[in-house]
Amino acid sequence: MTAVTSTSKKSRFGVRFRTNFSEQRRYLIINSVLSLLGLPLIVLMGLFLSADDPDYDTCEPLMSVGVFAFCIAILSGIFIARNSFKYLYRKSLADMNYSLPLTSKQRFFADFLSGIVSYIAPIAISAVLSFIMLLVGAEFVSFDRDGFFDLMPYMLTAAFIILLGMILYYATVVFAVVCCGRAFESTFGAVAAVIMVPLLIYFVSLLIVLSADYGMDETIVFYNPLFTSTSPVGMAVFLVSFMEDADYTDYNGSAELWSGFVRWLIPSLIVIAAFIIGAFLLYSRRKAEDVSKPYPYKWFYYIITSIGIFVLLSLFVEFNTAVEAGILICAVIYFIIEVISNRGFKKLWLSAIRFAASVAAVFAIVNLCKYTDGFGMTEYVPSASSVSSVRIDTSSRNYDMMYIDYQCFDDREVIEEVVSAHKTIVDHRKSGTYPGTKNEPSWGIAVMEDNEMFIKYYKKNGTITVRQYSICESEIAGLKKAITLSDNYADKSAGVIRSYWERTESDYDRDIGNFDVYDIFGNMYSCSMSKSENDRLAEIYAADMKTLTPEQYDDGDIIGYICYRLPVYRSFENTIGFIEERQPGCFDVDAVNIFNNAGKILVCSDVYSCYVDYGSESDNLYDDTYDADNVHWYSDTLNYTSRGRLGYYETGFIPHYNTPDPDFAENLIDLMERAVEAGRPVAVNTEVSGVLLIDGYPLFFPKSEKNDELVAELEEFGFGMEKELVLTG
């Protein structure tokens, strides 16, 4: 008898599921059409664009149609969820549905699952179809099949993130519908529930950022699991961030990418489960007579309206723009919603009290952020022991020889140096002073050390801390040294070399590509190199990098660059030998040819460092409009570790001589050869005797009595500059 009862209950659940699923037929057809117009059309147009001589005028508009259709299919979940539970806000359907021989559990999950299948199934089928189209179509266009399968783990993960976002979106709408008892309120509540949570988190974060003087911008919230795991909007942001990080895995490694995904996944699953369980518990307490009530659970209404007031009013208050007008606008909107929800002006004085409390909360939070300097986040620097790894990105005026392009490091020494540099940066900004600050010099070469630095800490407790600063090179000199000397960086440099090789079209079938090498004066040499040879070069370079000593790094004896800016030190005998087998003499520097081909040559014995503090409102590295009072000068040490011209200015440059006097020419050649031998293309946290600029490419002379005499000879020979101050970037 018990078995019969159990079977009966199961069949009732099945009947309810099938019935509700059939009632979704209209939405299922619409969603299927949109899904088939979405991903498959995007893939098809992508294949056409990959073919020879593609028709951009036709394909690109059709691809836009596919993107639009896919987005509408994703957003259709709100209509499907409301339709699955329409009896919660339609009185004519309530009594019939509540009178059926079903438990609340059976009714809720049958309706929930039938709706979510109607929502997800068409999109999932279109995704599978798109994958098949991509594999078949790849046979007819230029398509890197191996590269495609290498990307498969990231593509599947991205699809999984989209799936979780859709489930959370659907569950959030269901939760809101359960809390509402009329059609208008269920629509308003569903939209509000989806957008209010991310808006609240974003605007609270924005208040903190705007209260801070430096180091943070509004994008920091996008790295916070509280934002990325609690709403469909946050999950969409995480998807973009994940794909951006995946784009760097060729030479960054993917361990941190996947651990970051797991750190995001766990709270996301908890939030999804909380919405589903919460919706079920509220649903099980609802009664048929709750239909036609605006909000059976009034707290839901109070929460979304309070968040709405906070978000709208905080914009006016924080930016100090027409605050009174902002309060008036919020009041009008709030009381209109109150009248609609309450069907009149009943207990309007309570509404006024709630509105006043919401306004007071906004002012309190804004002022608290200001007085606590963003709750102390401006000066916060995590301890090295709490960090598992750190991702770094720098952006200087030129191409920095250290290739730290959004790379991740787990080397303990690097992490400690990052934290140390971070503390130095914060201390300098807090005190408003910089080491060695002096008055503006009257003449000489001023090397601008402007740089930008992005830091992303992955901490052992699963949280992420992000900071971004406008800095000077001297503040991160120790960090750059630690990174360059780490095995972690050597391995990442090998990844850069592997990703740099590109097969030439003419040698596509022979697996031959070009590999460019540069000398210290910007001359480029192209080597023909197979993919296997390129991979071998990556291994050799990484091995040479691991032998680089602190003394060799400080000396800066660089003879050329590969991958545009990876330095080749004179001590890298294996790397040099491997490359010169394919391009002999590419690292040789001929002083005579350099001199004869140079357009402008200049030498200066007084070289300074300077840093422009653009301030918190204009951290624009390339903005040359700044207050002279914000230029910090120091001459104790110099840091220039970029590959490229120091500057190219008409004023002060002396054209090279052209004379038939053999003694003059012999002395000149001897002088230039000694200059090339003694000079270094970079200056690593060191004092210098001077700098020689050849068409803007620098040769720095480390401070010594011998180099002082060499610079004096160059000046006497006619390469000295006029008595003026030249800023170079």
Side-chain angles (χ1 to χ4, degrees):
M1 190 69 177
T2 303
V4 174
T5 303
S6 176
T7 304
S8 175
K9 287 184 178 180
K10 288 182 180 180
S11 63
R12 290 172 187 171
F13 173 85
V15 170
R16 177 69 177 189
F17 178 90
R18 290 189 295 272
T19 301
N20 197 51
F21 185 78
S22 65
E23 291 177 358
Q24 301 283 358
R25 186 182 302 111
R26 180 178 58 181
Y27 290 100
L28 182 63
I29 293 172
I30 294 174
N31 200 21
S32 298
V33 173
L34 289 171
S35 299
L36 291 175
L37 276 176
L39 284 177
L41 185 59
I42 295 172
V43 170
L44 184 62
M45 292 303 103
L47 290 171
F48 283 145
L49 288 173
S50 301
D52 296 332
D53 193 22
D55 185 357
Y56 290 98
D57 293 337
T58 301
C59 293
E60 289 182 348
L62 288 176
M63 182 174 284
S64 299
V65 171
V67 172
F68 178 76
F70 179 71
C71 292
I72 297 299
I74 294 290
L75 295 175
S76 67
I78 188 172
F79 304 106
I80 297 174
R82 290 184 70 253
N83 189 63
S84 294
F85 292 88
K86 56 183 177 291
Y87 56 88
L88 294 180
Y89 56 83
R90 288 187 185 177
K91 189 69 174 176
S92 59
L93 301 174
D95 292 336
M96 180 183 68
N97 279 272
Y98 276 96
S99 63
L100 293 174
L102 291 166
T103 64
S104 296
K105 183 177 180 180
Q106 288 176 320
R107 188 169 58 245
F108 174 83
F109 284 103
D111 295 344
F112 184 91
L113 293 175
S114 61
I116 203 168
V117 169
S118 302
Y119 174 42
I120 292 177
I123 298 176
I125 293 172
S126 72
V128 174
L129 178 61
S130 300
F131 178 76
I132 296 173
M133 290 173 57
L134 190 59
L135 290 180
V136 175
E139 298 293 335
F140 305 98
V141 298
S142 299
F143 185 76
D144 185 0
R145 185 180 293 272
D146 292 337
F148 174 75
F149 284 107
D150 288 341
L151 292 174
M152 186 60 65
Y154 309 115
M155 295 171 62
L156 292 176
T157 305
F160 182 67
I161 294 171
I162 294 174
L163 175 64
L164 289 185
M166 293 173 65
I167 295 174
L168 179 57
Y169 176 53
Y170 183 87
T172 304
V173 173
V174 170
F175 183 91
V177 171
V178 170
C179 293
C180 303
R182 296 194 311 213
F184 171 79
E185 281 77 7
S186 69
T187 303
F188 171 76
V191 174
V194 170
I195 66 174
M196 286 303 180
V197 171
L199 282 177
L200 174 64
I201 299 172
Y202 177 81
F203 276 95
V204 170
S205 176
L206 183 63
L207 293 178
I208 295 173
V209 168
L210 294 177
S211 301
D213 292 330
Y214 49 83
M216 294 185 290
D217 62 24
E218 62 275 7
T219 62
I220 66 168
V221 69
F222 299 149
Y223 302 100
N224 190 337
L226 187 63
F227 179 83
T228 58
S229 298
T230 55
S231 69
V233 176
M235 288 188 173
V237 171
F238 178 79
L239 173 64
V240 174
S241 176
F242 176 84
M243 296 308 294
E244 286 181 349
D245 287 353
D247 190 39
Y248 289 88
T249 55
D250 283 345
Y251 54 86
N252 270 341
S254 58
E256 194 56 56
L257 179 72
W258 296 116
S259 63
F261 170 73
V262 172
R263 286 194 293 264
W264 168 84
L265 178 62
I266 294 173
S268 296
L269 293 175
I270 293 173
V271 169
I272 291 173
F275 268 103
I276 296 174
I277 294 172
F280 167 69
L281 293 176
L282 294 174
Y283 177 91
S284 61
R285 295 186 179 186
R286 277 195 56 152
K287 300 177 181 178
E289 52 267 28
D290 286 332
V291 180
S292 76
K293 292 181 180 179
Y295 295 97
Y297 300 101
K298 292 291 288 184
W299 53 264
F300 176 76
Y301 167 72
Y302 296 145
I303 289 175
I304 60 175
T305 53
S306 297
I307 293 175
I309 293 171
F310 176 87
V311 168
L312 184 58
L313 188 56
S314 62
L315 284 174
F316 292 91
V317 175
E318 183 56 43
F319 291 102
N320 198 25
T321 304
V323 176
E324 296 81 2
I327 296 175
L328 181 59
I329 292 172
C330 290
V332 171
I333 296 174
Y334 178 78
F335 285 109
I336 288 175
I337 295 174
E338 278 284 289
V339 170
I340 293 174
S341 298
N342 294 329
R343 293 185 176 181
F345 298 92
K346 297 178 293 183
K347 298 182 179 180
L348 197 61
W349 62 275
L350 286 176
S351 300
I353 292 175
R354 286 194 296 269
F355 177 77
S358 300
V359 172
V362 172
F363 281 96
I365 293 175
V366 169
N367 286 290
L368 186 61
C369 288
K370 289 182 177 179
Y371 288 124
T372 60
D373 200 12
F375 295 103
M377 290 182 64
T378 303
E379 300 175 14
Y380 171 72
V381 179
S383 64
S385 60
S386 68
V387 178
S388 61
S389 61
V390 60
R391 191 176 292 277
I392 308 169
D393 190 19
T394 62
S395 175
S396 61
R397 285 179 175 264
N398 292 302
Y399 292 97
D400 199 300
M401 72 173 187
M402 186 176 66
Y403 213 122
I404 48 173
D405 187 9
Y406 201 58
Q407 293 191 12
C408 194
F409 298 91
D410 55 14
D411 185 284
R412 297 314 305 175
E413 185 176 352
V414 172
I415 292 174
E416 290 172 1
E417 285 292 345
V418 171
V419 171
S420 177
H422 191 178
K423 289 179 180 177
T424 299
I425 293 168
V426 170
D427 290 342
H428 287 172
R429 303 307 179 279
K430 183 179 179 181
S431 63
T433 60
Y434 297 86
T437 299
K438 62 188 294 292
N439 296 328
E440 180 177 340
S442 59
W443 87 286
I445 291 289
V447 180
M448 298 182 71
E449 292 196 5
D450 300 30
N451 205 327
E452 287 183 351
M453 184 175 183
F454 172 87
I455 309 171
K456 185 177 182 180
Y457 295 105
Y458 297 93
K459 293 189 283 188
K460 294 177 180 178
N461 62 5
T463 60
I464 296 174
T465 298
V466 178
R467 294 293 184 270
Q468 186 167 355
Y469 299 96
S470 174
I471 61 172
C472 63
E473 287 287 327
S474 296
E475 291 177 308
I476 60 171
L479 169 60
K480 283 190 170 185
K481 183 175 181 178
I483 289 176
T484 305
L485 296 176
S486 68
D487 290 349
N488 203 191
Y489 178 71
D491 294 334
K492 294 178 190 302
S493 298
V496 173
I497 296 173
R498 292 188 185 97
S499 64
Y500 191 81
W501 181 86
E502 183 176 355
R503 181 187 286 113
T504 58
E505 292 184 7
S506 60
D507 291 308
Y508 194 86
D509 295 331
R510 295 196 302 126
D511 199 34
I512 299 296
N514 286 333
F515 191 88
D516 297 333
V517 182
Y518 299 82
D519 66 21
I520 59 175
F521 295 107
N523 300 304
M524 185 184 76
Y525 305 88
S526 290
C527 306
S528 292
M529 193 177 295
S530 68
K531 185 66 172 69
S532 59
E533 289 177 316
N534 179 267
D535 292 341
R536 176 59 182 153
L537 174 60
E539 296 175 2
I540 292 173
Y541 184 84
D544 280 342
M545 277 293 295
K546 292 177 181 179
T547 65
L548 185 67
T549 65
E551 294 76 20
Q552 290 170 336
Y553 174 83
D554 291 337
D555 183 54
D557 192 6
I558 296 170
I559 63 171
Y561 300 88
I562 58 176
C563 299
Y564 203 74
R565 52 176 165 163
L566 285 178
V568 177
Y569 288 82
R570 194 177 300 277
S571 61
F572 289 7
E573 296 180 357
N574 295 323
T575 299
I576 296 169
F578 186 88
I579 293 174
E580 290 198 333
E581 283 181 8
R582 290 150 183 82
Q583 186 58 260
C586 60
F587 294 122
D588 294 341
V589 176
D590 189 326
V592 177
N593 288 337
I594 290 173
F595 177 75
N596 286 333
N597 294 325
K600 308 245 179 228
I601 299 178
L602 172 130
V603 70
C604 183
S605 57
D606 283 11
V607 185
Y608 302 90
S609 296
C610 69
Y611 162 68
V612 181
D613 185 1
Y614 291 100
S616 59
E617 296 183 1
S618 179
D619 290 336
N620 185 354
L621 187 63
Y622 304 101
D623 182 5
D624 291 329
T625 59
Y626 48 81
D627 190 339
D629 293 337
N630 291 332
V631 181
H632 302 274
W633 300 89
Y634 44 101
S635 59
D636 297 336
T637 59
L638 180 67
N639 277 281
Y640 183 81
T641 57
S642 296
R643 183 244 150 207
R645 288 182 172 90
L646 183 62
Y648 193 90
Y649 294 85
E650 294 293 330
T651 306
F653 281 81
I654 307 299
H656 68 273
Y657 290 97
N658 186 8
T659 174
D661 184 347
D663 292 335
F664 181 90
E666 183 177 344
N667 292 335
L668 176 61
I669 292 172
D670 175 68
L671 180 61
M672 293 301 295
E673 287 178 344
R674 285 190 286 129
V676 170
E677 181 180 356
R680 300 289 185 263
V682 296
V684 184
N685 202 33
T686 185
E687 292 186 71
V688 296
S689 295
V691 62
L692 175 67
L693 297 178
I694 301 177
D695 284 342
Y697 288 96
L699 282 178
F700 296 100
F701 303 106
K703 188 67 175 176
S704 70
E705 183 177 345
K706 183 179 179 180
N707 284 340
D708 288 343
E709 294 173 356
L710 178 60
V711 171
E713 285 187 67
L714 288 166
E715 289 179 325
E716 291 174 3
F717 216 85
F719 299 128
M721 64 180 288
E722 298 177 3
K723 299 297 182 180
E724 61 180 307
L725 181 66
V726 178
L727 267 68
T728 63

